[in-house]
Amino acid sequence: MIIITLVLELIGKTGKNTLAWMWLISFASALFSIFTGWQLSIGSSYPENQLFWHKWLGISVAAISFLLWAITKFVEKRKNLFSGALKVGLIVLLSLGGHIGGQLTHGNDYLVEAAPGFIKSIAGYNPPEAVDLSGIEPDSITTYEHLIYPFLEQKCAKCHNEKSMSGNLDITSVEKLLEGGDGGEVVIPGDVDESELFRRVTLNQNNVKFMPTNGVPLTYYEMALLKWWIENGAHFKEQTATIKMPAEIMTGINKLYKIDFTPKPWYEKESGPKIDTMALEAFAQGGFKVSGMSKSDNYLEVSPLGTDLGSPIDFGPLKENIIILDLKNTEISDANFEKLSELKNLIRLQLNGSNTETEDLLKIAPLPRLESINLYGTSIDDGALDYLASFPSLKRIYTWQTQVTPEGIAALQGKRPDISVENGIN
Ligand code: HEC
């Protein structure tokens, strides 16, 4: 209203009576704003200093609107220096008062938060950035410092810091956070329902008590982490790796910070015995395709170039380097089945489409690290499953188009529920 009235004054085509009415309505709406603002401030914990200025700037805006009404209505020569100065003053007070009001409800940085980068840099605004902890050794991570505080700092600290202690709460240091706010302590170790810090972020977003009052709410995983931290005693120094971590928390930490707490398989922790390059060359010349798994380890994937393996394969010193062996669609002799027993580090064995039968499998001593075996399209039967149950690390068996029966699979899973059988549609 005030701005419209000022513009109409400037254009100069509106009659005195209309303008007087406009000033009166401006005054009334200013009064109304003062009333609602005053209501909001009762029992609230807005920073006092800002509240003081917002209140008095608002009151002066109302007072000047009233004066301008009086001048417009009663003063003969109403366009004088005094009323001009009042109008300029009004614009200044209105902008300032409005700005401080914005800071009160939306935080001090509300103006520049969403602004383009160059405006942010002019305003000297550099918000805390998203954290990438991927370089850090998981063992050296402290739950609060590395996993909880970063998002609190990002999403709450602009209103809850030393200077602007909304709700009398400062979260920027552990000591202050522990002191809590107007309502007392905000973190109750082990009790999320009583912990105001958690309760506020999980309220319905329309609730006036919802935090943050402005800006980006906590994400699903941030809430999950906060809850997990409080439930586990809200420790400030604890190493994350020392506490029990549900799978969901592991996923959350990975998503938020790119740290991987999932237990690593042995072949990612060890790099294997050094490869004997002479033996490797000789082996490859014997008719095998050999490829390295990664630059940082000595593990190999091997497959024959032809389909007839012929004479017994000599794995030589490469025995422990081979972790994947692909013998699909090949003719494997009895001697070669026995040879496979030497591959103590084998993780994956592909025998699909080969001549493998159940009694052939029995010639392979249980491979300690074998995780996956593909027997698709071979003539194995339930006896093979029964034998494979003795392979301690086995996780997956592919049995489409074999003699394996549902009963055989059920019997295996009774013994080894950790093995999944991919039986496709027979
Ligand atoms: C834009 C400003 C702003 C942001 C951002 C903000 N808060 Fe608040 N917070 C307030 C204000 C204002 C109050 C006081 C009014 C009230 O209690 O609702 C408050 C009060 C609180 C209180 C109650 C303190 C007490 O003891 O009375 C808690 C707890 C709280 N905030 C937590 C948070 C958390 C957690 C975040 C981040 C997810 C956050 N706030 C982000 C403005 C903010």
Side-chain angles (χ1 to χ4, degrees), residues 5 51 85 106 116 150 219 223 228 248 354 370 403 409 411:
T5 315
L51 192 60
H106 301 299
T219 64
M223 285 186 214
W228 172 69
E248 190 195 43
S354 70
L370 191 72
Q403 312 299 317
I409 295 176

Side-chain angles (χ1 to χ4, degrees), residues 106-107 155-156 159-160 166-167 169 181-183 197 200-201 211-213:
H106 301 299
K155 297 184 168 172
C156 321
C159 300
H160 296 289
S166 297
L169 176 66
D182 280 335
L197 194 74
R200 291 290 192 111
V201 299
M211 291 293 146
T213 54

Side-chain angles (χ1 to χ4, degrees), residues 12-43:
K13 289 200 172 149
T14 315
K16 175 182 148 113
N17 271 342
T18 315
L19 282 174
W21 271 111
M22 302 267 315
W23 280 122
L24 195 62
I25 298 168
S26 295
F27 170 61
S29 45
L31 276 187
F32 179 71
S33 302
I34 290 172
F35 175 74
T36 53
W38 170 69
Q39 283 285 312
L40 252 180
S41 74
I42 296 176

Side-chain angles (χ1 to χ4, degrees), residues 67-81:
L67 260 177
L68 284 168
W69 166 74
I71 290 171
T72 312
K73 186 153 175 83
F74 300 113
V75 176
E76 201 57 43
K77 218 177 140 283
R78 60 187 184 87
K79 285 194 175 165
N80 53 31
L81 197 64

Side-chain angles (χ1 to χ4, degrees), residues 44-47 103-108 151-152 155-160 166-169 171 180-186 196-198 200-201 208-216 218 226:
S44 82
S45 337
Y46 290 114
Q103 289 185 320
L104 281 173
T105 48
H106 301 299
N108 286 343
F151 63 78
L152 293 183
K155 297 184 168 172
C156 321
K158 65 174 176 179
C159 300
H160 296 289
S166 297
N168 242 328
L169 176 66
I171 60 142
D182 280 335
E185 289 176 23
V186 293
E196 199 66 1
L197 194 74
F198 181 72
R200 291 290 192 111
V201 299
V208 287
K209 299 258 169 190
F210 175 77
M211 291 293 146
T213 54
N214 168 257
V216 189
L218 296 198
L226 188 60

Side-chain angles (χ1 to χ4, degrees), residues 223-290:
M223 285 186 214
L225 277 181
L226 188 60
K227 180 166 185 229
W228 172 69
W229 172 66
I230 294 176
E231 278 176 344
N232 276 286
H235 297 292
F236 287 92
K237 290 262 146 68
E238 196 166 57
Q239 315 281 171
T240 310
T242 63
I243 21 181
K244 208 171 99 250
M245 195 181 299
E248 190 195 43
I249 295 299
M250 243 183 263
T251 316
I253 295 177
N254 202 351
K255 282 228 156 58
L256 292 173
Y257 301 108
K258 311 201 171 51
I259 316 169
D260 197 356
F261 276 101
T262 40
K264 286 216 170 62
W266 63 267
Y267 47 87
E268 281 182 26
K269 286 189 281 192
E270 305 168 15
S271 54
K274 210 171 151 355
I275 295 173
D276 180 335
T277 41
M278 297 275 279
L280 181 70
E281 253 170 60
F283 183 71
Q285 297 212 325
F288 289 93
K289 180 170 174 277
V290 183

Side-chain angles (χ1 to χ4, degrees), residues 339-355:
K339 278 274 175 193
L340 297 184
S341 309
E342 295 177 359
L343 304 177
K344 300 289 181 226
N345 283 335
L346 200 64
I347 298 173
R348 199 163 87 207
L349 177 59
Q350 306 210 188
L351 297 173
N352 36 319
S354 70
N355 59 325

